[in-house]
Structure formats: C-alpha cells, structure tokens
Amino acid sequence: MATSLKSTASFLQLRKPENHSLNRLSFLKSSVSVKRFAPMAALTAAPTPGLAETFSRLKKDGKVALIPYVTAGDPDLSTTAEALKLLDSCGSDIIELGVPYSDPLADGPVIQAAATRSLARGTDFNAIISMLKEVVPQLSSPLALFTYYNPILKRGVGNFMSTIKDVGVRGLVVPDVPLEETQTLRSAATEHNIELILLTTPTTPTDRMRAIVEAAEGFVYLVSSVGVTGARASVSDRVQTLLKDIKEASTKPVAVGFGISTPEQAKQVKGWGSDGVIIGSAMVKVLGDAKTPEEGLKALEAFTKSLKAALS
C-alpha cells in the first residue's frame, strides 16, 4: 500500500524493506492501430546506448533528458508495446517501464491502480520479457525497468539480471532496497552491464546522500517531494537546493521525478539545473483515463510532444 515520507527512515534507501512474501511497447500516426505484438524476424539493430552515455551526449548538446514512465500491461501489453515505440519516436531520451507489483509502497494511487489493472489482466514478468524481446530492438532510447525487490528475489538476482540484459534493458530502479543492502544487486548489475539507479529524497541526510550518489550508476534519481508518486500542483523550491547539493558532491547526472506532471513544471526543473526530468503518474493517467487504447496512445503522443518542446 502507499506510504508517506514522514521521516528519514521511512522510504527507499532510507528504510528497511518489509518482509513481503515471495508470491505475489515506429511512430504512431494520427490513426493508431493497436495490434497484438507478434514474433518478428531477427533485427540486427545496434545496441541502444547506456544511461550514462545518453546523459553525456545530451550534456554535450546542452540538452536535458526526457524520461517518461509507463506501467507494463496497462491497459494491456500490446498497448504497452506501442506506447514504448511511440515514446521513443516522440523524442524520449530514456524510457522507464514499471513492472506491476501487488504491494507498490513507493507508488501513489494512479500507478497503484494501473498496476492493479495490469495484474488483474494476467500480466506477469515472463509476458513482459516476451514483449520487450520484440520491442527493444526497435527502440533508439535505452530502457530502464522499475521493479520492487521481491520479483527479483523470486527469480534469483543473477538470473533476473541475465534475463533483462538478454532483452536489452540498460537500467534498473529498485525503490525498496536500502543502500546497505544494494551490494548484491550492484555486483550482479555490474556483471551484466545493467546500470543500477539509486534514489535520494528531500529527507536524506547529507552524508547518506553522498554515499548514495557515489554508489549510483547511470544517473541519480532525485525524489522531488516527500511522499509517494503522483502529480503535484507545484514542485518544491527545495529541489533547486537539493540539486545544487548533489552536484557539489558528484559530477554524475541527476534526474528529478515524483510529482512532475506538466510541461511548465518540467521546464522549471530544467531551469534549476536538473539533467533529466522523469514523468510517471501523468503519463500513466493519460493511458488509464482513455476510453480506448487508441485514444490513450493519441493523448500520450500529444502529451509527450508538449513535454519535449518544454525541454527544448
């Protein structure tokens, strides 16, 4: 269930994980056709760049990364496949894909509802991997998975890393593992050339923030607000200070997420010096509120283009 960040020991790298049991998508034109993804001829596409490499290229060009997030399987995996290709064609620099989970402690009501719908339709990790095997070779942007720790433990850390590497995933976000317990993940991720993204929050003590930044790969994920994911009316001015603090501690790129939902907010965060902007709940809501997958994809296209324009 959703939880709020009310103390420095209540979230992400700042909390001990609960003992959860181990059960538990070519650019679309104005007329969008959603089809079942089908096996296709082997593609000889060059591997997508890594996350750090992407940020380095963008920095040289004086640009900020647009990083949209969608939930796998909402409304269905065929639509997810099309959404991934659409987001890529609309200029996304990195794409984050959420693996639906039954106890998403970091997620607000929009993403929780999307995960619930996805799971109710039978979406599972194997189906997501099958979809990614067909879709990732068609993407020019690197893909990062957002998943909780239990699905990783269920498959074994090494096996999980090998599986996602084989389908072309380049980054990984695991929000419910504290820094002290990331060593196994970090070792396995490094072995499989997966960049493990770590999160720091407004309540993270300075010394701990520095340790998190030092250990992070790909980029540092700066949580903009205290609480779970979800749209906010405004972005806290404190984000500007937090960005400055992180950049004083490291030259690694920093992307801001949690609560950014409009082109205006994205532009504001860019002005504060962020290297990337992550938009999650607003993206998921566009797809979730649509009457049909086709309408959802059209709306997602328009929204993504507006965000890209704001960051240009």
Side-chain angles (χ1 to χ4, degrees), residues 27-87:
F27 176 76
L28 294 179
K29 299 182 180 178
S30 57
S31 175
V32 182
S33 174
V34 181
K35 301 179 181 179
R36 299 301 302 175
F37 53 88
M40 53 192 292
L43 297 177
T44 56
T48 56
L51 309 185
E53 181 183 349
T54 296
F55 274 105
S56 179
R57 172 180 55 79
L58 290 170
K59 184 176 182 179
K60 290 178 181 178
D61 294 340
K63 297 179 180 179
V64 170
L66 171 60
I67 311 175
Y69 167 104
V70 291
T71 300
D74 183 50
D76 53 56
L77 282 175
S78 294
T79 306
T80 302
E82 296 302 328
L84 292 176
K85 290 183 285 186
L86 184 151
L87 292 170

Side-chain angles (χ1 to χ4, degrees), residues 214-275:
E214 176 66 25
E217 298 291 340
F219 66 91
V220 178
Y221 194 136
L222 173 58
V223 175
S224 71
S225 59
V226 175
V228 295
T229 61
R232 306 291 198 276
S234 62
V235 181
S236 171
D237 290 344
R238 194 178 173 205
V239 169
Q240 187 172 14
T241 301
L242 294 170
L243 280 166
K244 181 180 178 182
D245 291 344
I246 295 172
K247 287 179 174 294
E248 286 179 351
S250 175
T251 59
K252 292 179 181 178
V254 187
V256 178
F258 281 51
I260 301 174
S261 59
T262 68
E264 293 76 18
Q265 290 173 347
K267 186 174 183 179
Q268 181 181 35
V269 171
K270 172 188 175 182
W272 287 342
S274 181
D275 301 295

Side-chain angles (χ1 to χ4, degrees), residues 114 154 211:
K154 183 177 180 179

